[in-house]
Short mmCIF file of all heavy atoms in Angstrom, two decimals:
data_model
loop_
_atom_site.label_atom_id
_atom_site.label_comp_id
_atom_site.label_asym_id
_atom_site.label_seq_id
_atom_site.Cartn_x
_atom_site.Cartn_y
_atom_site.Cartn_z
N HIS A 239 -4.83 2.81 23.95
CA HIS A 239 -6.15 2.98 24.73
C HIS A 239 -7.23 3.54 23.78
O HIS A 239 -6.97 4.66 23.13
CB HIS A 239 -6.11 3.62 26.10
CG HIS A 239 -5.88 5.09 26.08
ND1 HIS A 239 -6.89 5.94 25.99
CD2 HIS A 239 -4.65 5.88 26.21
CE1 HIS A 239 -6.42 7.25 26.03
NE2 HIS A 239 -5.17 7.15 26.15
N ASP A 251 -5.53 11.77 21.86
CA ASP A 251 -5.60 10.99 23.11
C ASP A 251 -6.90 10.16 22.97
O ASP A 251 -7.85 10.42 23.65
CB ASP A 251 -5.53 11.88 24.35
CG ASP A 251 -5.51 11.13 25.53
OD1 ASP A 251 -5.03 9.89 25.43
OD2 ASP A 251 -5.83 11.53 26.64
N ASN A 252 -7.04 9.20 22.27
CA ASN A 252 -6.01 8.43 21.56
C ASN A 252 -6.68 7.76 20.36
O ASN A 252 -6.22 6.63 19.97
CB ASN A 252 -5.41 7.45 22.62
CG ASN A 252 -4.18 6.77 22.02
OD1 ASN A 252 -3.50 7.26 21.27
ND2 ASN A 252 -3.94 5.56 22.53
N GLU A 283 -7.79 3.79 30.14
CA GLU A 283 -6.53 4.61 30.57
C GLU A 283 -6.94 5.84 31.08
O GLU A 283 -6.43 6.44 31.96
CB GLU A 283 -5.75 4.80 29.34
CG GLU A 283 -4.29 4.98 29.67
CD GLU A 283 -3.74 6.36 29.85
OE1 GLU A 283 -4.53 7.27 29.38
OE2 GLU A 283 -2.78 6.67 30.41
N ASP A 284 -8.02 6.46 30.56
CA ASP A 284 -8.58 7.72 31.06
C ASP A 284 -9.77 7.61 31.89
O ASP A 284 -10.46 8.55 31.94
CB ASP A 284 -8.85 8.64 29.86
CG ASP A 284 -7.45 9.29 29.25
OD1 ASP A 284 -6.59 9.41 30.06
OD2 ASP A 284 -7.35 9.43 28.12
N ASP A 312 0.31 6.26 22.31
CA ASP A 312 -0.57 7.28 23.03
C ASP A 312 -0.18 8.70 22.52
O ASP A 312 1.10 9.04 22.88
CB ASP A 312 -0.52 7.01 24.55
CG ASP A 312 -1.67 7.56 25.22
OD1 ASP A 312 -2.49 8.24 24.74
OD2 ASP A 312 -1.73 7.16 26.50
N ASP A 313 -1.10 9.38 22.14
CA ASP A 313 -0.83 10.82 21.84
C ASP A 313 0.19 11.09 20.76
O ASP A 313 1.00 11.94 20.66
CB ASP A 313 -0.41 11.67 23.08
CG ASP A 313 -1.57 11.87 24.09
OD1 ASP A 313 -1.83 11.06 24.88
OD2 ASP A 313 -2.16 12.89 23.95
N HIS A 384 -7.27 15.94 27.34
CA HIS A 384 -8.45 15.91 28.26
C HIS A 384 -9.20 17.20 28.27
O HIS A 384 -10.06 17.53 29.25
CB HIS A 384 -7.87 15.62 29.69
CG HIS A 384 -7.27 14.25 29.85
ND1 HIS A 384 -6.68 13.77 31.08
CD2 HIS A 384 -7.00 13.19 28.86
CE1 HIS A 384 -6.24 12.62 30.84
NE2 HIS A 384 -6.38 12.33 29.59
ZN1 ZN B 529 -3.92 8.84 26.44
#
Side-chain angles (χ1 to χ4, degrees):
H239 72 84
D251 185 23
N252 188 26
E283 207 265 343
D284 281 326
D312 201 349
D313 288 86
H384 295 181

